[in-house]
Amino acid sequence: MRLIVHPGVRKSLIHPEIYGHFSEHLGRCIYGGVFVGKDSPIPNVNGMRTDVVNALKRIHLPALRWPGGCFADEYHWRDGVGPLSSRVKMINSHWGGVVEDNSFGTHEFFELCRQLGCEPYVNGNLGSGTVREMQDWVEYITSPDVSPMADLRRANGQDAPWALKYFGVGNENWGCGGNMTAAFYADNYRRYQTYVRNYGDNHIYKIACGAGTSIKNPGCDWTETLMREAGRMMNGLSLHYYTVPYDNWQHKGSATEFSRADYMDTVARAQFMDRLCEMHGAVMDRYDPEKRVGLIVDEWGTWYDVEPGTNPSFLYQQNTMRDAMVAALTLNIFNRHSDRVHMANLAQLANVLQSLVLTDGERMLLTPTYHVFDLFKAHQGATLLGSMSDTDELSSDGMRFPRVSHSASVNAEGRVHITLCNLSPDEAAPVSLRIDGQTMALEGAALLTGDMHAHNTFESPDAVRPRALEGVSVRAADGGTEISLTLPPVACASLTFA
Ligand code: AHR
């Protein structure tokens, strides 16, 4: 495969938030995954697991969405503030009917974001909450003034307001968030967002609920209605897409035991994210040619059957090199659509769907997907570079995807970062790469590879981990840099040049 990168062709900013994540009150994502409480024997700071926080800091996790998901439109924030002893217990009716004791609430979420050093993204309740409840929550979080909500926050131990940039006005309001039509939601969005106010010097980036999508129904009508009716009142419009093998939601298949055909189908469906960005981007362009409104892909990732013996409502699944390939392909797609995609949030942070980390009591492991985010982190905040590749395509059931996916960026210090992903399950990919018009030296090259089924377990937590990419040859030629390397099958590599 021949790939030419043009450092002189500078495109869009790769918003760091494209590498964002999602944490819902679902199964063991919050409880046990990140939050164990101050009295836990598991090492923690103010209740947050030290091992998980340290791991997430290493990948520079930029933004975290909370509290849902479907949970968001059933969440009443006042249940989760104040002394622990007086917090209301409720049934988490959407996710398994388990007791939610609200010990993780607004204060705990902002403490988690403080420890991670990330932007909080709070998703408000439009489906079953009132306008006033949403208004009060924003006031509680952000108001520096004398006001009933700011005073309540102070009484609950937080004197200074928190900075809150991202606020979602409902989640999946076409489904679990109220079964609304696009027109009905658009009217509701217009009403609710009016009262999502800016207090002091806090400025909120308002995110409207966007389309649920599938290959059969890409959901562009919803985007059209929202952009037409409410586009000028929003900063971002969301989009959700999950990769489910064969789109068979009844039998999604095992996360670890799958065939070559299942692998090909999964990767081919993940590639559909590219079409979604194009299609929804084209609709948005008609109403917003300046690309002011961000496409916020605030739920994406693979969704399989739960691990045998686990609660079906907890959505706990393992994570293999197949997931790593989906993550690498999708992040390259987001980078290349970063003119419109301003944030994306993998579902979910821990122990739910395509997780970064899995925990078992005091044990924690990093998934292959985690390692992909590590390899890609240098793209955060860099500028997308123009590039051209002549990769051939692979296909599954008529759905095509590139054999080798890539993206390239340059950071403020002039370092060029290139991520490559060989999606072939069984063939190595020789790559001939040129950085045009600039002579550069290789500063680092890392590789994540393994059998498509390879994954980490608590017994063998480092079975899959990045290592140095060997055998990269670099030479100056015709005023540019010529590089050659070979990617093994099922592999993701990152190269940095200075
Ligand atoms: O991520 C799991 C669920 O998937 C979310 O709660 C919901 O928004 C989506 O349907």
Side-chain angles (χ1 to χ4, degrees), residues 121-147:
Y121 168 9
V122 171
N123 209 118
N125 177 348
L126 179 143
S128 71
T130 62
V131 175
R132 180 167 184 180
E133 186 180 355
M134 188 178 285
Q135 178 183 30
D136 283 353
W137 200 9
V138 174
E139 184 180 319
Y140 183 91
I141 294 169
T142 61
S143 172
D145 302 322
V146 175
S147 82

mmCIF file of all heavy atoms in Angstrom, residues 121-147:
data_model
loop_
_atom_site.group_PDB
_atom_site.id
_atom_site.type_symbol
_atom_site.label_atom_id
_atom_site.label_comp_id
_atom_site.label_asym_id
_atom_site.label_seq_id
_atom_site.Cartn_x
_atom_site.Cartn_y
_atom_site.Cartn_z
ATOM 1 N N TYR A 121 -19.156 16.238 30.853
ATOM 2 C CA TYR A 121 -20.277 16.368 29.924
ATOM 3 C C TYR A 121 -21.482 15.774 30.650
ATOM 4 O O TYR A 121 -21.582 14.560 30.826
ATOM 5 C CB TYR A 121 -19.948 15.621 28.628
ATOM 6 C CG TYR A 121 -21.078 15.400 27.631
ATOM 7 C CD1 TYR A 121 -22.324 16.006 27.758
ATOM 8 C CD2 TYR A 121 -20.885 14.582 26.525
ATOM 9 C CE1 TYR A 121 -23.340 15.787 26.832
ATOM 10 C CE2 TYR A 121 -21.896 14.356 25.591
ATOM 11 C CZ TYR A 121 -23.114 14.959 25.764
ATOM 12 O OH TYR A 121 -24.126 14.733 24.853
ATOM 13 N N VAL A 122 -22.386 16.666 31.094
ATOM 14 C CA VAL A 122 -23.562 16.243 31.869
ATOM 15 C C VAL A 122 -24.748 16.125 30.918
ATOM 16 O O VAL A 122 -25.020 17.034 30.136
ATOM 17 C CB VAL A 122 -23.871 17.263 32.990
ATOM 18 C CG1 VAL A 122 -25.213 16.959 33.648
ATOM 19 C CG2 VAL A 122 -22.747 17.250 34.027
ATOM 20 N N ASN A 123 -25.439 14.986 30.986
ATOM 21 C CA ASN A 123 -26.612 14.803 30.130
ATOM 22 C C ASN A 123 -27.884 14.993 30.951
ATOM 23 O O ASN A 123 -28.144 14.241 31.896
ATOM 24 C CB ASN A 123 -26.599 13.411 29.493
ATOM 25 C CG ASN A 123 -27.303 13.408 28.149
ATOM 26 O OD1 ASN A 123 -26.686 13.131 27.137
ATOM 27 N ND2 ASN A 123 -28.578 13.743 28.118
ATOM 28 N N GLY A 124 -28.662 16.017 30.638
ATOM 29 C CA GLY A 124 -29.871 16.351 31.395
ATOM 30 C C GLY A 124 -31.053 15.462 31.040
ATOM 31 O O GLY A 124 -31.037 14.732 30.048
ATOM 32 N N ASN A 125 -32.083 15.565 31.874
ATOM 33 C CA ASN A 125 -33.284 14.742 31.761
ATOM 34 C C ASN A 125 -34.404 15.555 31.123
ATOM 35 O O ASN A 125 -35.003 16.426 31.769
ATOM 36 C CB ASN A 125 -33.674 14.273 33.175
ATOM 37 C CG ASN A 125 -34.956 13.463 33.206
ATOM 38 O OD1 ASN A 125 -35.698 13.411 32.236
ATOM 39 N ND2 ASN A 125 -35.222 12.846 34.344
ATOM 40 N N LEU A 126 -34.673 15.278 29.864
ATOM 41 C CA LEU A 126 -35.809 15.915 29.204
ATOM 42 C C LEU A 126 -37.017 14.985 29.187
ATOM 43 O O LEU A 126 -38.153 15.408 29.270
ATOM 44 C CB LEU A 126 -35.418 16.335 27.784
ATOM 45 C CG LEU A 126 -36.480 17.010 26.909
ATOM 46 C CD1 LEU A 126 -35.851 18.101 26.056
ATOM 47 C CD2 LEU A 126 -37.201 16.020 25.987
ATOM 48 N N GLY A 127 -36.736 13.660 29.145
ATOM 49 C CA GLY A 127 -37.820 12.685 28.979
ATOM 50 C C GLY A 127 -38.810 12.664 30.130
ATOM 51 O O GLY A 127 -40.019 12.650 29.914
ATOM 52 N N SER A 128 -38.280 12.654 31.371
ATOM 53 C CA SER A 128 -39.198 12.560 32.511
ATOM 54 C C SER A 128 -38.963 13.670 33.526
ATOM 55 O O SER A 128 -39.551 13.662 34.611
ATOM 56 C CB SER A 128 -39.047 11.203 33.220
ATOM 57 O OG SER A 128 -37.808 11.143 33.912
ATOM 58 N N GLY A 129 -38.115 14.615 33.173
ATOM 59 C CA GLY A 129 -37.815 15.727 34.088
ATOM 60 C C GLY A 129 -38.491 17.001 33.613
ATOM 61 O O GLY A 129 -38.901 17.116 32.454
ATOM 62 N N THR A 130 -38.579 17.962 34.514
ATOM 63 C CA THR A 130 -39.216 19.226 34.154
ATOM 64 C C THR A 130 -38.176 20.231 33.662
ATOM 65 O O THR A 130 -36.970 20.072 33.894
ATOM 66 C CB THR A 130 -39.914 19.841 35.380
ATOM 67 O OG1 THR A 130 -38.915 20.115 36.361
ATOM 68 C CG2 THR A 130 -40.970 18.904 35.952
ATOM 69 N N VAL A 131 -38.678 21.269 33.033
ATOM 70 C CA VAL A 131 -37.803 22.359 32.599
ATOM 71 C C VAL A 131 -37.100 22.953 33.826
ATOM 72 O O VAL A 131 -35.901 23.215 33.818
ATOM 73 C CB VAL A 131 -38.629 23.451 31.883
ATOM 74 C CG1 VAL A 131 -37.755 24.644 31.538
ATOM 75 C CG2 VAL A 131 -39.283 22.901 30.638
ATOM 76 N N ARG A 132 -37.866 23.112 34.878
ATOM 77 C CA ARG A 132 -37.301 23.734 36.085
ATOM 78 C C ARG A 132 -36.185 22.872 36.684
ATOM 79 O O ARG A 132 -35.160 23.391 37.139
ATOM 80 C CB ARG A 132 -38.405 23.950 37.109
ATOM 81 C CG ARG A 132 -37.849 24.576 38.357
ATOM 82 C CD ARG A 132 -38.892 25.087 39.273
ATOM 83 N NE ARG A 132 -38.238 25.740 40.397
ATOM 84 C CZ ARG A 132 -38.877 26.293 41.390
ATOM 85 N NH1 ARG A 132 -40.194 26.294 41.392
ATOM 86 N NH2 ARG A 132 -38.218 26.857 42.373
ATOM 87 N N GLU A 133 -36.395 21.556 36.658
ATOM 88 C CA GLU A 133 -35.379 20.642 37.211
ATOM 89 C C GLU A 133 -34.061 20.770 36.437
ATOM 90 O O GLU A 133 -32.973 20.791 37.007
ATOM 91 C CB GLU A 133 -35.944 19.223 37.112
ATOM 92 C CG GLU A 133 -35.117 18.158 37.759
ATOM 93 C CD GLU A 133 -35.778 16.769 37.613
ATOM 94 O OE1 GLU A 133 -36.905 16.678 37.095
ATOM 95 O OE2 GLU A 133 -35.129 15.796 38.010
ATOM 96 N N MET A 134 -34.189 20.875 35.121
ATOM 97 C CA MET A 134 -32.980 21.016 34.306
ATOM 98 C C MET A 134 -32.316 22.373 34.571
ATOM 99 O O MET A 134 -31.098 22.480 34.730
ATOM 100 C CB MET A 134 -33.320 20.855 32.820
ATOM 101 C CG MET A 134 -32.099 20.797 31.934
ATOM 102 S SD MET A 134 -32.485 20.559 30.186
ATOM 103 C CE MET A 134 -32.943 18.843 30.113
ATOM 104 N N GLN A 135 -33.155 23.408 34.626
ATOM 105 C CA GLN A 135 -32.622 24.757 34.893
ATOM 106 C C GLN A 135 -31.899 24.790 36.242
ATOM 107 O O GLN A 135 -30.800 25.326 36.367
ATOM 108 C CB GLN A 135 -33.780 25.756 34.898
ATOM 109 C CG GLN A 135 -33.341 27.175 35.219
ATOM 110 C CD GLN A 135 -34.516 28.134 35.278
ATOM 111 O OE1 GLN A 135 -35.632 27.745 35.632
ATOM 112 N NE2 GLN A 135 -34.275 29.370 34.906
ATOM 113 N N ASP A 136 -32.528 24.186 37.238
ATOM 114 C CA ASP A 136 -31.941 24.189 38.581
ATOM 115 C C ASP A 136 -30.610 23.449 38.634
ATOM 116 O O ASP A 136 -29.695 23.839 39.357
ATOM 117 C CB ASP A 136 -32.914 23.537 39.577
ATOM 118 C CG ASP A 136 -34.060 24.464 39.965
ATOM 119 O OD1 ASP A 136 -34.031 25.646 39.567
ATOM 120 O OD2 ASP A 136 -34.991 24.008 40.655
ATOM 121 N N TRP A 137 -30.512 22.361 37.872
ATOM 122 C CA TRP A 137 -29.268 21.576 37.905
ATOM 123 C C TRP A 137 -28.101 22.408 37.374
ATOM 124 O O TRP A 137 -27.013 22.447 37.967
ATOM 125 C CB TRP A 137 -29.436 20.275 37.089
ATOM 126 C CG TRP A 137 -28.441 19.202 37.438
ATOM 127 C CD1 TRP A 137 -27.560 19.195 38.480
ATOM 128 C CD2 TRP A 137 -28.250 17.967 36.728
ATOM 129 N NE1 TRP A 137 -26.828 18.014 38.472
ATOM 130 C CE2 TRP A 137 -27.238 17.245 37.412
ATOM 131 C CE3 TRP A 137 -28.840 17.387 35.606
ATOM 132 C CZ2 TRP A 137 -26.792 15.989 36.984
ATOM 133 C CZ3 TRP A 137 -28.406 16.136 35.191
ATOM 134 C CH2 TRP A 137 -27.391 15.445 35.870
ATOM 135 N N VAL A 138 -28.362 23.095 36.248
ATOM 136 C CA VAL A 138 -27.296 23.923 35.662
ATOM 137 C C VAL A 138 -26.930 25.051 36.619
ATOM 138 O O VAL A 138 -25.750 25.371 36.816
ATOM 139 C CB VAL A 138 -27.727 24.448 34.274
ATOM 140 C CG1 VAL A 138 -26.703 25.426 33.711
ATOM 141 C CG2 VAL A 138 -27.939 23.284 33.307
ATOM 142 N N GLU A 139 -27.948 25.627 37.266
ATOM 143 C CA GLU A 139 -27.695 26.694 38.236
ATOM 144 C C GLU A 139 -26.905 26.150 39.430
ATOM 145 O O GLU A 139 -25.946 26.771 39.904
ATOM 146 C CB GLU A 139 -29.028 27.288 38.699
ATOM 147 C CG GLU A 139 -28.873 28.471 39.638
ATOM 148 C CD GLU A 139 -30.223 29.021 40.079
ATOM 149 O OE1 GLU A 139 -31.144 29.125 39.252
ATOM 150 O OE2 GLU A 139 -30.351 29.334 41.288
ATOM 151 N N TYR A 140 -27.278 24.973 39.890
ATOM 152 C CA TYR A 140 -26.594 24.331 41.028
ATOM 153 C C TYR A 140 -25.111 24.130 40.707
ATOM 154 O O TYR A 140 -24.228 24.408 41.523
ATOM 155 C CB TYR A 140 -27.263 22.986 41.314
ATOM 156 C CG TYR A 140 -26.720 22.230 42.506
ATOM 157 C CD1 TYR A 140 -27.273 22.395 43.776
ATOM 158 C CD2 TYR A 140 -25.671 21.323 42.372
ATOM 159 C CE1 TYR A 140 -26.787 21.688 44.884
ATOM 160 C CE2 TYR A 140 -25.179 20.615 43.461
ATOM 161 C CZ TYR A 140 -25.740 20.800 44.718
ATOM 162 O OH TYR A 140 -25.255 20.099 45.800
ATOM 163 N N ILE A 141 -24.860 23.663 39.505
ATOM 164 C CA ILE A 141 -23.474 23.338 39.143
ATOM 165 C C ILE A 141 -22.645 24.594 38.900
ATOM 166 O O ILE A 141 -21.490 24.680 39.332
ATOM 167 C CB ILE A 141 -23.458 22.428 37.883
ATOM 168 C CG1 ILE A 141 -24.080 21.065 38.197
ATOM 169 C CG2 ILE A 141 -22.038 22.247 37.355
ATOM 170 C CD1 ILE A 141 -24.344 20.199 36.959
ATOM 171 N N THR A 142 -23.221 25.587 38.231
ATOM 172 C CA THR A 142 -22.371 26.651 37.672
ATOM 173 C C THR A 142 -22.549 28.051 38.259
ATOM 174 O O THR A 142 -21.750 28.933 37.956
ATOM 175 C CB THR A 142 -22.584 26.756 36.140
ATOM 176 O OG1 THR A 142 -23.950 27.083 35.892
ATOM 177 C CG2 THR A 142 -22.233 25.462 35.428
ATOM 178 N N SER A 143 -23.593 28.270 39.072
ATOM 179 C CA SER A 143 -23.839 29.660 39.486
ATOM 180 C C SER A 143 -22.891 30.113 40.599
ATOM 181 O O SER A 143 -22.795 29.475 41.646
ATOM 182 C CB SER A 143 -25.281 29.822 39.960
ATOM 183 O OG SER A 143 -25.421 31.113 40.513
ATOM 184 N N PRO A 144 -22.210 31.265 40.376
ATOM 185 C CA PRO A 144 -21.349 31.817 41.436
ATOM 186 C C PRO A 144 -22.126 32.774 42.337
ATOM 187 O O PRO A 144 -21.580 33.304 43.294
ATOM 188 C CB PRO A 144 -20.291 32.591 40.630
ATOM 189 C CG PRO A 144 -21.021 33.046 39.405
ATOM 190 C CD PRO A 144 -22.118 32.039 39.124
ATOM 191 N N ASP A 145 -23.391 33.018 42.006
ATOM 192 C CA ASP A 145 -24.141 34.096 42.653
ATOM 193 C C ASP A 145 -24.834 33.623 43.926
ATOM 194 O O ASP A 145 -24.784 32.465 44.294
ATOM 195 C CB ASP A 145 -25.201 34.641 41.679
ATOM 196 C CG ASP A 145 -24.550 35.129 40.409
ATOM 197 O OD1 ASP A 145 -23.445 35.705 40.507
ATOM 198 O OD2 ASP A 145 -25.121 34.904 39.326
ATOM 199 N N VAL A 146 -25.547 34.588 44.536
ATOM 200 C CA VAL A 146 -26.457 34.230 45.621
ATOM 201 C C VAL A 146 -27.733 33.750 44.936
ATOM 202 O O VAL A 146 -28.364 34.499 44.206
ATOM 203 C CB VAL A 146 -26.775 35.463 46.492
ATOM 204 C CG1 VAL A 146 -27.819 35.112 47.537
ATOM 205 C CG2 VAL A 146 -25.495 35.991 47.122
ATOM 206 N N SER A 147 -28.033 32.486 45.097
ATOM 207 C CA SER A 147 -29.247 31.954 44.454
ATOM 208 C C SER A 147 -29.608 30.686 45.203
ATOM 209 O O SER A 147 -28.744 30.062 45.839
ATOM 210 C CB SER A 147 -29.000 31.642 42.975
ATOM 211 O OG SER A 147 -28.373 30.391 42.838
#
